Amino acid sequence: MTTNVKKSGWGRGIAATYLSFVVCILAFALFAMLQNYDLVEKDYYDKGVAYQGEIDRFTRTAHLPAKPVVSYNKGSKTIAILFPGQLLDSSVTGRLHMMRPSDASLDTSFALALNTSGVQTIDASALAVGLWRTAVGWSRGGVDYAIDVMIVVE
């Protein structure tokens, strides 16, 4: 007499489910480790601690009667920084930082060198097409100011 007993495969099913879960977790961990990530700044912690000074510069700029303007001219492929007349004097010094959110290796910086009309023009033909964060920081009469403007280079 032979009995036809069907063996249940629930043990193998549990083992296969557990094994596939472990493989998925390991694949995700490997994927995450291989991702290229660019921090905004290399020394982001130190800059984060000193960020209150940056907030103060933006607040002082917000209270100015007229603010500098940063614009991109598509035709001439230039970036223009225009300081209004009431902000111009011989003590204005500063820097323009161009930061590419998608690739930190393309970041660049320029010294602020305004002409007598309060304008500085920068050739943008060498910049990669796309979104750029322009941060202008300047000092006038011993007081620091800053603005951030997003521009799209085409």
Side-chain angles (χ1 to χ4, degrees):
M1 194 192 245
T2 59
T3 58
N4 229 354
V5 178
K6 186 175 182 183
K7 291 187 174 182
S8 175
W10 62 268
R12 289 186 181 139
I14 290 174
T17 302
Y18 178 72
L19 184 62
S20 64
F21 174 75
V22 169
V23 167
C24 287
I25 292 298
L26 291 175
F28 177 74
L30 180 65
F31 172 75
M33 286 189 303
L34 295 176
Q35 289 303 303
N36 180 20
Y37 58 91
D38 290 322
L39 298 175
V40 175
E41 300 282 343
K42 294 279 185 218
D43 54 348
Y44 68 94
Y45 181 77
D46 296 330
K47 296 224 180 196
V49 170
Y51 194 66
Q52 184 59 47
E54 190 78 12
I55 293 170
D56 294 341
R57 287 189 284 278
F58 285 119
T59 303
R60 280 191 290 273
T61 303
H63 291 103
L64 289 173
K67 295 157 194 60
V69 176
V70 179
S71 61
Y72 173 72
N73 185 322
K74 187 173 156 182
S76 63
K77 292 192 182 266
T78 58
I79 297 170
I81 305 162
L82 170 65
F83 270 68
Q86 57 263 47
L87 295 182
L88 283 180
D89 61 35
S90 60
S91 69
V92 173
T93 59
R95 295 199 68 76
L96 167 73
H97 299 281
M98 300 287 299
M99 293 167 274
R100 177 79 174 188
S102 61
D103 188 357
S105 67
L106 297 176
D107 293 359
T108 187
S109 181
F110 303 95
L112 202 57
L114 303 171
N115 64 16
T116 56
S117 302
V119 177
Q120 179 175 354
T121 305
I122 297 169
D123 181 22
S125 61
L127 295 177
V129 173
L131 183 68
W132 287 85
R133 177 179 166 228
T134 60
V136 181
W138 75 96
S139 179
R140 178 178 162 242
V143 181
D144 294 335
Y145 301 91
I147 58 168
D148 266 354
V149 179
M150 301 301 268
I151 61 170
V152 177
V153 174
E154 298 175 5

